[in-house]
């Protein structure tokens, strides 16, 4: 006699696996930002000029900005929508670290834009 064991099969992990891969990809994107930023600074400082060098620096800069801003936001939204509590905590922490980094960059930019004492170009 042939029996149907379809009720005993494990459910398909299609959506869960896809969400897990998306969360992992966004985490890796955020983690790779310092490496891409260092590479972008190296390429920019190496003297590679022309459309190719300038384009490469610009693309790498936008990858860094996207990784700092978009990866934690998209990851948090995805984790919240799918109910992944550990991923939600991880992306909240990543967002806080990114916000702190952005605040330090703005602060450094303000100090870098100040004029030196006695500089005649500053009024």
């Amino acid at each position: 006699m042939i029996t149907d064991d379809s009720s005993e099969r494990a459910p398909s992990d299609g959506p869960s696996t896809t969400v897990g891969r998306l969360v992992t990809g966004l985490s890796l994107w955020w983690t790779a930002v310092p490496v891409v930023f260092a590479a972008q600074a190296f390429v920019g400082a190496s003297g590679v000029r022309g459309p190719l060098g300038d384009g490469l620096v610009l693309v790498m800069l936008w990858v860094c900005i996207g990784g700092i801003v978009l990866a934690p936001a998209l990851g948090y939204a995805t984790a919240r929508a799918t109910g992944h509590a550990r991923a939600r905590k991880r992306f909240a922490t990543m967002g806080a670290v990114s916000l702190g980094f952005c605040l330090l960059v703005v602060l450094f930019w303000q100090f870098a834009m100040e004029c030196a004492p006695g500089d005649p170009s500053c009024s």
Side-chain angles (χ1 to χ4, degrees), residues 29 32 36 50-51 63 71 97 107 118 121:
W29 183 17
V36 174
V63 166
V97 170
L107 183 65
S121 64

Side-chain angles (χ1 to χ4, degrees), residues 21-119:
R21 288 180 181 166
L22 180 64
V23 166
T24 301
L26 289 170
S27 298
L28 289 175
W29 183 17
W30 184 82
T31 307
V33 165
V35 175
V36 174
F37 185 75
Q40 181 260 347
F42 177 74
V43 169
S46 68
V48 176
R49 297 292 179 233
L52 181 63
D54 293 342
L56 182 62
V57 168
L58 188 63
V59 166
M60 292 172 97
L61 180 65
W62 280 109
V63 166
C64 289
I65 291 171
I68 289 174
V69 176
L70 289 178
L74 290 175
Y76 185 82
T78 302
R80 184 169 173 91
T82 58
H84 288 81
R86 289 182 59 200
R88 189 172 53 229
K89 291 176 187 175
R90 178 177 25 175
F91 282 113
T93 304
M94 288 166 50
V97 170
S98 293
L99 181 63
F101 176 75
C102 291
L103 290 175
L104 287 175
V105 166
V106 168
L107 183 65
F108 176 75
W109 185 260
Q110 290 298 318
F111 286 138
M113 291 291 112
E114 284 187 5
C115 295
D119 190 4

